[in-house]
Amino acid sequence: MEKNLIIVESPAKTRTIKKFLGKNWEVEATKGHIWNLPEKSLGIEIKKGFRPEYEVIKGKEKVISKLKDEAKKVSKVYLAPDPDREGEAIAWHIAQEIDEVNSSIYRACFNEITKEAVLKGINDAGPLDMNKVNAQQARRILDRLVGYKVSPFLWETIYWGLSAGRVQSVALRILSEREKQIEDFIPEEYWSITALLGTFGKQSFYAKLFKIDGKDFKIGKKTQAQTIVDDIKSKTFVVVEFKKEKKHRNPYPPFITSTLQQDAARRLFFPSRKTMGIAQQLYEGVELGSKGSVGLITYMRTDSVRVSEQAKKGLRDFISKNFGEKYLSEKPREYRSKKGAQEAHEAIRPTYLEYTPDSIKDFLSDEQFRLYQLIWSRFVASQMSQASYDTKTVEIEAEKYLFRASSSKLIFDGFLKVYQEIKEENSEDKEEEKLPDLKEGEILKLLELKPQQHFTKPPPRFTEASLIKELETNGIGRPSTYAQIVTTIKQRKYVTSEKRKLVPTELGITVNKILVENFPQIFNVKFTANMESELDKIEEGKDEWVKVLKDFYLPFETTLKKVEKEKIKIKNRLEEKTDEICEKCGKPMIIKWSKNGRFLACSNYPECKNTKPLVSKEEEKIANNQKCELCGSPMVIKTGKFGRFLACSKYPECKNTKPLVSKEEEKIVNNQKCELCGSPIVIKTGKFGRFLACSKYPECKYSRPLSLGIKCPEKGCDGFLVERKTRRGKVFFGCSNYPRCDFATWDKPIAQICPECGAEFMVLKTSKSKGEFLKCLKCGCEKVEKIDVKNE
């Protein structure tokens, strides 16, 4: 028999696919892309119809050579990279390389790696889809044009090495604009009034004031609330309406890429990149003992909720057999994909339902198990019956005041048996009220009337999950790009993660400001969404890729020329004037940017090249009046590999240095002795932040984390908050019990009790509009008055 060759992307896939094909098949892997645009040049011939100048990726020469050798030996070659634009582009690149040795080339696609799917994909194999290839190529060229043309503008206005991205910069804009809303937000006071009411059968429940004179209302001050409370006290409370209903909750559709990333973030606390990496492993195949490598889920980059009829029937049989008929929906559930979804793909689902998560747990890593369990449960739940609730609603009148209360009780769990609901992000914890049975016209006793003060809250910061949802809602990005968008802006240090919230850095906000002010038509949500639609049209064969690029590039080039003339003015606008005077030449100092952040520089540059760190008021207090123990010269603050430190101003004549220690840190270390040798303890700075070490080092190597003297706020944790550093050198504050406790915050904890919720500490924050202020991590309360930053 003739031999055939099938080429995939991943070596993990080759192991799984080899099981399904006989000895007359060879299976090889490209290990990802084999071609790319050059690293050190634009690589696009704009005047020749945007022709890309691809080159072989370094290290892939041997891969290509092997593919060619294998292609010579076989009758037919089947290209089977992933079934999306990127996969189609990889297949096309392979075809270009091996066509000279074997022109019998076919494109095979499968959405799952099962024997049936692989054999069907080979049987249905056909020509490459050049519309998909052109859509991918257009996206790649668009991203290259924006990155290579705009990034140098950032180098010349802020500092070298920064980069802009067509889609990532719009995600940064969304985050920056939300941060501005939060910064500008002014909390407004409002009051609610709740009545504790009792029946004559001695049952009681709470009801909330809902309307006054049949209208919505707002109580803005305590005096208003008290006036209303005093008026209500004398009224008679009468039940005017009591309803008992049965309500139902339907299950969710199976996962698509965006909902999987969102749910994995909310339930498992996985970053989007981690979710996609683990999903890729489950898709390509996991070794299940004697069964060999098994692909456990369908393709994980999809925006379609479609499920094949065969899979749907198999699922309904599984539910009926394992849970009983009452847990099976009356008829098969059909879910609608969003407009423009690629219905050729299926939703993300298990390939074999019989491989329940618990049955294969021993073969999976903990993270693989948790994600597989999530996918499996969501899919099984999608064809299960509704969850049913008994609900009660009551409305009570006290003359012109209308109170309302409601309760619900789960009476049949339905799909919740396998897929429990969780509290939505940023939602408030509410205790479920238990209402007694009441009758219309029934008189109730007023047991208590509680006015409660509240403050409006700013819009919440985005998490990775909610940012992906926002991008999807606005039509920005596609299933294959969501994780990369988030990962890129984090890697560029434009945003950081703070308690799983995405917070733009000072650098990110500055980059966003420059891009939005100078390229408003390119880095905006509507334009980016429209461009995604244009790429979809190319894939559908409704538009021509060169025309789309030309329509984009002509106005883009005009904007670039205009901005080029303004870049010196833009750079000057970024420089901030200060009241500080240069000690070397007497000229004013200004604030500039470098790769290490903002710093002070002499405005008389290049005649005077004096620079120094931008020091906070707290650091200034520490450095003031400190003298070098070796030569008596003043000590100054400098920035090094591990952060700020004190150094002798006579450097390089005197090379004395010591850690920058605050007064509260001095109090922590005072009179502390080494637990091993009894010598005094000193504060040192290392790769991962401040720590306490024995003064007899290196004879004694005792050390431990530097505690702030503040208890960790996580429930059940007995640790203390300590200063640490990330691998990239940024200071944060975490629990001394890490990794058992993963509490962390970028903001410095201060031992001041929150006046709103009584939390044991607040964190020190700074903004341009408010200056320094304290904020409670628990309730969001802000304290703007004079701050005592001593942890006493």
Side-chain angles (χ1 to χ4, degrees):
M1 288 180 68
E2 294 177 334
K3 273 202 165 190
N4 295 313
L5 170 66
I6 186 165
I7 300 173
V8 295
E9 288 171 74
S10 161
K13 276 190 199 176
T14 63
R15 293 192 297 271
T16 312
I17 290 171
K18 274 179 181 175
K19 293 196 312 174
F20 309 140
L21 304 174
K23 60 183 179 181
N24 292 312
W25 283 86
E26 293 296 329
V27 187
E28 294 293 340
T30 64
K31 300 175 185 176
H33 280 272
I34 59 169
W35 284 5
N36 201 358
L37 294 172
E39 281 186 23
K40 296 182 179 178
S41 63
L42 180 63
I44 299 163
E45 294 191 59
I46 295 169
K47 293 179 180 178
K48 293 183 180 179
F50 297 93
R51 189 172 72 190
E53 298 173 329
Y54 292 117
E55 60 183 27
V56 174
I57 295 170
K58 191 176 180 181
K60 290 298 176 81
E61 295 87 351
K62 287 183 180 179
V63 173
I64 293 170
S65 178
K66 187 173 184 183
L67 294 179
K68 284 181 177 180
D69 288 344
E70 293 297 329
K72 288 176 188 175
K73 304 172 189 174
V74 299
S75 173
K76 295 175 183 175
V77 179
Y78 292 85
L79 306 177
D82 290 342
D84 56 14
R85 289 177 191 165
E86 289 297 315
E88 206 70 25
I90 292 171
W92 182 61
H93 296 161
I94 299 167
Q96 302 302 298
E97 289 285 357
I98 66 172
D99 184 65
E100 62 187 36
V101 298
N102 191 330
S103 59
S104 296
I105 298 170
Y106 301 88
R107 173 69 164 123
C109 293
F110 27 85
N111 288 312
E112 59 185 69
I113 305 177
T114 59
K115 186 172 183 177
E116 295 77 12
V118 170
L119 294 178
K120 187 177 186 302
I122 291 169
N123 190 54
D124 296 344
L128 284 159
D129 185 343
M130 288 309 296
N131 289 332
K132 264 188 183 175
V133 173
N134 290 334
Q136 187 276 345
Q137 191 161 255
R139 174 189 287 280
R140 185 75 184 89
I141 292 170
L142 275 170
D143 291 345
R144 175 56 67 102
L145 287 171
V146 173
Y148 263 66
K149 297 285 186 179
V150 178
S151 296
F153 171 70
L154 293 176
W155 305 347
E156 292 169 17
T157 53
I158 305 179
Y159 63 82
W160 189 89
L162 294 177
S163 56
R166 182 180 62 86
V167 181
Q168 295 92 330
S169 296
V170 177
L172 175 62
R173 179 175 183 173
I174 291 170
L175 294 171
S176 299
E177 288 178 351
R178 175 60 59 88
E179 195 67 19
K180 183 75 166 63
Q181 289 174 334
I182 294 168
E183 200 172 276
D184 293 345
F185 183 80
I186 299 171
E188 287 185 24
E189 181 183 7
Y190 70 98
W191 289 73
S192 63
I193 296 173
T194 306
L196 177 60
L197 301 170
T199 66
F200 285 92
K202 296 188 177 179
Q203 292 176 297
S204 63
F205 63 93
Y206 285 100
K208 200 169 183 179
L209 182 59
F210 180 60
K211 288 188 183 290
I212 300 175
D213 281 328
K215 297 175 184 176
D216 294 334
F217 63 92
K218 182 181 176 183
I219 305 171
K221 293 182 180 179
K222 184 177 181 179
T223 51
Q224 283 178 276
Q226 195 57 52
T227 301
I228 292 170
V229 166
D230 293 341
D231 190 36
I232 292 173
K233 281 179 180 176
S234 60
K235 311 298 181 190
T236 302
F237 286 75
V238 183
V239 176
V240 292
E241 186 180 78
F242 181 73
K243 285 195 297 188
K244 292 176 76 173
E245 292 178 295
K246 184 172 279 189
K247 291 190 175 179
H248 306 284
R249 188 186 292 273
N250 288 319
Y252 297 97
F255 284 126
I256 59 176
T257 304
S258 59
T259 53
L260 175 62
Q261 290 174 350
Q262 290 163 37
D263 225 30
R266 290 167 59 232
R267 293 171 184 264
L268 310 179
F269 307 126
F270 286 179
S272 53
R273 187 179 186 181
K274 183 176 187 176
T275 297
M276 296 310 289
I278 298 168
Q280 184 93 30
Q281 295 164 13
L282 297 174
Y283 165 67
E284 291 178 348
V286 177
E287 291 289 335
L288 299 185
S290 60
K291 296 180 180 68
S293 183
V294 178
L296 291 172
I297 64 169
T298 53
Y299 190 54
M300 63 284 155
R301 294 185 184 93
T302 176
D303 54 5
S304 168
V305 293
R306 184 184 72 82
V307 173
S308 70
E309 290 304 316
Q310 183 183 354
K312 199 181 297 177
K313 184 181 182 304
L315 172 57
R316 293 181 65 79
D317 290 344
F318 180 87
I319 294 168
S320 179
K321 182 179 176 181
N322 290 275
F323 296 95
E325 287 294 324
K326 67 178 182 177
Y327 280 98
L328 182 65
S329 61
E330 287 184 12
K331 57 183 181 179
R333 294 188 185 279
E334 301 292 337
Y335 296 99
R336 268 191 192 174
S337 301
K338 65 177 184 179
K339 186 180 176 184
Q342 296 185 1
E343 291 295 340
H345 291 176
E346 281 193 64
I348 303 168
R349 61 169 176 82
T351 50
Y352 304 98
L353 280 168
E354 61 267 30
Y355 291 140
T356 62
D358 287 333
S359 72
I360 59 172
K361 186 174 183 179
D362 291 344
F363 300 103
L364 305 179
S365 70
D366 178 60
E367 290 171 342
Q368 287 173 336
F369 170 75
R370 291 166 69 199
L371 190 66
Y372 180 64
Q373 186 178 50
L374 188 64
I375 294 167
W376 190 93
S377 301
R378 174 89 164 216
F379 179 61
V380 172
S382 69
Q383 289 295 325
M384 291 180 78
S385 51
Q386 300 168 317
S388 300
Y389 298 82
D390 274 342
T391 65
K392 299 176 183 178
T393 306
V394 63
E395 290 190 352
I396 305 126
E397 274 186 359
E399 294 186 9
K400 66 178 182 177
Y401 302 103
L402 182 69
F403 286 78
R404 178 180 281 182
S406 62
S407 70
S408 68
K409 180 184 177 184
L410 180 68
I411 56 172
F412 177 63
D413 54 1
F415 76 93
L416 295 175
K417 191 172 186 70
V418 296
Y419 186 78
Q420 289 290 329
E421 302 216 280
I422 62 169
K423 186 171 77 77
E424 284 296 318
E425 288 173 320
N426 307 308
S427 64
E428 293 182 2
D429 288 312
K430 289 183 181 177
E431 274 192 49
E432 187 61 53
E433 190 62 60
K434 292 182 180 178
L435 284 180
D437 286 341
L438 301 166
K439 295 178 182 176
E440 291 182 11
E442 185 175 347
I443 306 296
L444 300 172
K445 290 185 287 185
L446 176 62
L447 304 176
E448 186 183 2
L449 207 52
K450 290 169 62 178
Q452 190 171 0
Q453 184 188 38
H454 308 272
F455 289 91
T456 55
K457 293 182 179 179
R461 286 186 173 125
F462 287 102
T463 59
E464 284 200 22
S466 59
L467 177 61
I468 288 168
K469 188 174 182 180
E470 183 79 4
L471 294 172
E472 184 188 30
T473 301
N474 286 295
I476 297 169
R478 288 297 179 263
S480 59
T481 62
Y482 295 135
Q484 188 58 41
I485 291 167
V486 177
T487 301
T488 301
I489 57 177
K490 288 168 76 174
Q491 286 178 340
R492 290 175 179 173
K493 297 185 182 178
Y494 294 162
V495 301
T496 58
S497 287
E498 183 178 317
K499 294 198 81 175
R500 295 191 289 274
K501 298 287 198 302
L502 296 174
V503 185
T505 60
E506 194 171 26
L507 173 61
I509 289 169
T510 304
V511 167
N512 174 68
K513 182 183 175 188
I514 288 177
L515 293 178
V516 171
E517 285 179 356
N518 296 284
F519 300 92
Q521 300 306 314
I522 294 165
F523 298 111
N524 75 55
V525 169
K526 189 175 179 182
F527 174 83
T528 307
N530 288 340
M531 190 54 68
E532 295 290 353
S533 298
E534 291 296 321
L535 293 170
D536 290 343
K537 286 178 186 176
I538 295 169
E539 182 172 344
E540 294 160 9
K542 296 176 182 177
D543 217 334
E544 208 277 314
W545 72 278
V546 175
K547 177 183 174 295
V548 170
L549 290 172
K550 193 173 181 180
D551 290 346
F552 162 79
Y553 190 73
L554 291 176
F556 177 56
E557 188 178 35
T558 303
T559 304
L560 283 170
K561 287 175 181 175
K562 181 183 173 185
V563 170
E564 180 67 25
K565 296 174 184 176
E566 299 289 317
K567 66 185 180 187
I568 295 173
K569 290 180 182 177
I570 295 164
K571 183 177 178 68
N572 290 339
R573 284 203 296 268
L574 283 178
E575 294 176 353
E576 296 177 39
K577 294 179 181 178
T578 70
D579 296 330
E580 195 152 343
I581 301 300
C582 175
E583 63 271 22
K584 293 187 177 178
C585 71
K587 298 286 184 181
M589 299 289 279
I590 55 175
I591 297 172
K592 289 189 172 186
W593 275 96
S594 78
K595 65 179 181 179
N596 294 320
R598 301 197 307 160
F599 67 100
L600 284 169
C602 182
S603 57
N604 196 29
Y605 179 86
E607 284 75 20
C608 177
K609 296 180 180 178
N610 185 27
T611 64
K612 54 185 179 179
L614 192 60
V615 179
S616 69
K617 290 178 182 177
E618 188 181 352
E619 289 172 331
E620 250 180 41
K621 288 176 186 174
I622 297 167
N624 273 355
N625 303 319
Q626 292 224 31
K627 302 289 183 183
C628 174
E629 299 93 338
L630 300 181
C631 70
S633 302
M635 298 293 278
V636 294
I637 295 172
K638 293 201 172 185
T639 303
K641 185 178 179 182
F642 300 130
R644 302 294 181 91
F645 64 96
L646 286 170
C648 181
S649 56
K650 289 290 184 183
Y651 179 87
E653 289 81 14
C654 176
K655 295 181 180 179
N656 184 29
T657 63
K658 61 181 183 179
L660 186 64
V661 180
S662 66
K663 288 181 180 178
E664 58 265 30
E665 288 172 335
E666 274 182 13
K667 288 178 183 176
I668 292 167
V669 77
N670 270 355
N671 303 318
Q672 289 207 42
K673 302 291 183 184
C674 173
E675 293 172 17
L676 297 181
C677 70
S679 301
I681 289 288
V682 294
I683 294 174
K684 293 203 171 187
T685 304
K687 186 176 180 181
F688 298 112
R690 304 294 189 87
F691 63 97
L692 294 174
C694 180
S695 56
K696 290 288 184 183
Y697 179 86
E699 289 80 14
C700 177
K701 295 181 179 179
Y702 173 81
S703 66
R704 68 173 188 266
L706 174 62
S707 168
L708 300 179
I710 297 172
K711 286 184 178 180
C712 176
E714 295 292 331
K715 283 184 180 178
C717 181
D718 60 357
F720 285 82
L721 299 188
V722 297
E723 181 183 307
R724 295 187 185 275
K725 273 193 178 183
T726 66
R727 288 177 182 173
R728 299 190 176 193
K730 184 166 182 181
V731 172
F732 71 99
F733 303 89
C735 180
S736 58
N737 281 341
Y738 179 83
R740 284 189 291 117
C741 175
D742 63 357
F743 172 82
T745 174
W746 293 112
D747 301 310
K748 184 173 183 177
I750 305 297
Q752 288 202 18
I753 293 171
C754 173
E756 283 291 319
C757 69
E760 292 186 5
F761 72 91
M762 301 178 81
V763 294
L764 181 63
K765 297 186 77 70
T766 307
S767 75
K768 286 183 181 178
S769 58
K770 299 173 187 173
E772 285 189 339
F773 63 98
L774 294 177
K775 184 172 183 176
C776 178
L777 293 178
K778 188 175 179 182
C779 71
C781 165
E782 293 182 359
K783 188 177 176 185
V784 187
E785 62 259 32
K786 188 178 178 183
I787 295 164
D788 176 13
V789 296
K790 295 176 183 176
N791 280 324
E792 295 180 332

